Amino acid sequence: MKLTNVPDKNELFAARERIRGLIHETAVLTSSLLNAITGSNIYLKCENFQKAGAFKSRGATHALSLLSKDELAMGVATHSSGNHAQALARAAKLLNTKAYIVMPDNAPAVKIAAVRQYGGIISFCKPNLADREATLARVISETSAIEVHPYNNYDVIAGQATASMEMLGQMPNPDYILCPVGGGGLLSGTLLSMHYFSPHTKVIACEPEGANDAWQSFHTGKLVPSTQPDTIADGLLTSLGSLTYPIIKEHVTDILTVTDVQIIEAMYFVFERLKIVIEPSSAVAVAVAMQRPDFLQNKNVGIIISGGNVDLRSLPWITVL
Amino acid sequence: MKLTNVPDKNELFAARERIRGLIHETAVLTSSLLNAITGSNIYLKCENFQKAGAFKSRGATHALSLLSKDELAMGVATHSSGNHAQALARAAKLLNTKAYIVMPDNAPAVKIAAVRQYGGIISFCKPNLADREATLARVISETSAIEVHPYNNYDVIAGQATASMEMLGQMPNPDYILCPVGGGGLLSGTLLSMHYFSPHTKVIACEPEGANDAWQSFHTGKLVPSTQPDTIADGLLTSLGSLTYPIIKEHVTDILTVTDVQIIEAMYFVFERLKIVIEPSSAVAVAVAMQRPDFLQNKNVGIIISGGNVDLRSLPWITVL
């Protein structure tokens, strides 16, 4: 594994400058109750308050900001049913280009509506990876749009890194950062920014037990794909990528997993006591803190709340807790 | 109506100093989408992030901070099934005294649990005003506890005034402040603080159509009690008080009402797009802004988000919208 091409310190600085004004510098919240429960000093980086409701706006906006006028004129494309789709559609609208979004035909109506609201042009496919990729290839061949992968893209990773860069100015120097991991874009960006700007900070990846492919990859030393993931954390179903896995392997301190019940309990706690709306994927990192791992006691701990896009008509605790 | 005994400017300054460190200085949030929808520059004062989940902690904490050691030793008492009960119990715990809370025996289990969590001592009564008052009188005669009324108390009003005092340092000078009205404690405090510290700011009270006793009082020029209120905004059911009504009559610019459907739509919008948890009573003021009254266009508008204590297992839009 070579890490020679990963974004360097200057590229992260440049990423932050490029997207300044195009995304929110999100708030960091604290809770004395959460501190009491966890035994740690917790700082929540609220990317649920980010444009389009998730950190994904950072990476998508940054990737598009690097395209030439000619490239932008062709539009951008991706397949996604989640936050990256909305983020890419929003970024494209902001930069006066088109976003072609391939979505499975069983995607929730609310997610389809959100992409359309930002002007995204949707092509539906069958809900399997083969048809997603085939449909995306067809769309790209028809439009010459530039593909922007949700995480396996260094420009996207550099954009996601800006969330933890901001955190360093918003909290006491972190001993730990807890970060959810799905495809590894946010985690890779966080690892790089801590490596460059706060090397003593340990980054702990947080993953659902029901989609523990990163945990398996970490412990076997090779990239284990996500197969038949089964978890409420719908943003963390994907496999690590060829670009994210090496960064994670090199820099992550540990990967901890939590059960879906622990995730839902943490999510309910955050709604009920912190009064903010978060999605299950964000609750994964809170759940890890709430398990009170020994090494977090009395430490300054940053948690990246990755997003707040959740179906408010079917919140999971109503049926589960 | 005489206003000679209302808290003056110096008493509001003193109130703010007395409760500093005992309550949160809550954040002010903005939303470009809400600004686009309303045509105004909106600043949301997030008292849903306040201790015990609502602005009520300000008034309760302030009232208790003025009691003598001997008075504090007897404990404090109130009848309430809502946010004042939790706020008083928390403030009493903070000041090492007891809170005797009279609650109707049909109060939701979650509210009973919240009061108990802060160490409140609950006496149950029948769910009508006569038995609430009789039970409170009995508790006070047995304990010699000091009654702390939820709103008809100048020390409480001075405490509630600190929310809008803080706002003046957190947003451009407000042209308008939108404030929900139930018993009128928060509204009276807001009116006094704007009168003293930002006299050009107009304060608009916001009320549910189904509990429009303040609107009726404003338009008839006499205190009309709340009889058989019927609204989702469970914090705004009470009548104005003998101390709050004169302040409102003297200083409020207007009182506007919204329907329960408008309230629930606004509440859903705030959860869905601003990613914060608010209670229906807070959504009343947001709903007024979303009706785009002409006079709010292009103005700097502060909205006091009064609290975030809502039953997350039965959110109203699931059945209503």
Side-chain angles (χ1 to χ4, degrees), chain B residues 222-298:
Chain B
K222 58 176 196 245
L223 202 171
V224 178
S226 179
T227 51
Q228 300 190 294
D230 178 15
T231 173
I232 184 83
D234 58 328
L236 307 180
L237 304 178
T238 44
S239 303
L240 299 178
S242 60
L243 302 185
T244 57
Y245 173 61
I247 297 172
I248 294 167
K249 185 176 181 183
E250 175 80 12
H251 292 298
V252 81
T253 296
D254 202 353
I255 300 185
L256 299 178
T257 62
V258 283
T259 67
D260 270 21
V261 167
Q262 290 168 333
I263 294 167
I264 296 168
E265 285 173 346
M267 185 178 169
Y268 183 77
F269 174 86
V270 170
F271 270 65
E272 174 73 11
R273 305 309 299 257
L274 277 67
K275 311 296 183 189
I276 59 172
V277 171
I278 67 170
E279 57 192 58
S281 303
S282 302
V284 172
V286 179
V288 165
M290 292 176 79
Q291 297 314 305
R292 298 178 56 89
D294 279 346
F295 59 87
L296 292 182
Q297 300 307 298
N298 300 311

Side-chain angles (χ1 to χ4, degrees), chain A residues 24 27 29-33 48-49 51-53 110 117-118 268 270-278 308-315 317-318 321, chain B residues 24 27 29-33 48-49 51-53 110 117-118 268 270-278 308-315 317-318 321:
Chain A
H24 279 311
L29 296 183
T30 61
S31 158
S32 51
L33 180 63
N48 53 330
F49 295 162
K51 294 286 185 183
V110 60
Q117 180 210 326
Y118 290 116
Y268 184 77
V270 169
F271 271 64
E272 174 73 12
R273 304 310 299 258
L274 277 67
K275 311 295 183 189
I276 60 172
V277 171
I278 67 171
N309 293 330
V310 58
D311 183 356
L312 293 165
R313 291 171 187 276
S314 63
L315 291 162
W317 51 75
I318 293 170
L321 297 188
Chain B
H24 278 310
L29 296 183
T30 61
S31 158
S32 51
L33 181 63
N48 53 330
F49 296 162
K51 295 285 186 184
V110 59
Q117 179 209 325
Y118 291 116
Y268 183 77
V270 170
F271 270 65
E272 174 73 11
R273 305 309 299 257
L274 277 67
K275 311 296 183 189
I276 59 172
V277 171
I278 67 170
N309 293 329
V310 57
D311 182 355
L312 293 165
R313 292 171 186 275
S314 64
L315 291 162
W317 51 75
I318 293 171
L321 297 189

Side-chain angles (χ1 to χ4, degrees), chain B residues 122-142:
Chain B
I122 299 174
S123 300
F124 290 104
C125 65
K126 298 199 186 76
N128 62 65
L129 186 60
D131 201 51
R132 283 167 74 137
E133 290 181 343
T135 307
L136 179 60
R138 179 175 55 71
V139 167
I140 288 174
S141 76
E142 288 170 6

Side-chain angles (χ1 to χ4, degrees), chain A residues 74-92:
Chain A
M74 313 307 284
V76 292
T78 198
H79 64 78
S80 166
S81 61
N83 289 335
H84 178 62
Q86 293 181 51
L88 193 68
R90 176 189 171 272

Side-chain angles (χ1 to χ4, degrees), chain B residues 142-161:
Chain B
E142 288 170 6
T143 61
S144 302
I146 309 288
E147 182 181 357
V148 181
H149 192 277
Y151 53 87
N152 211 41
N153 174 320
Y154 282 139
D155 299 332
V156 170
I157 290 170
Q160 319 304 27

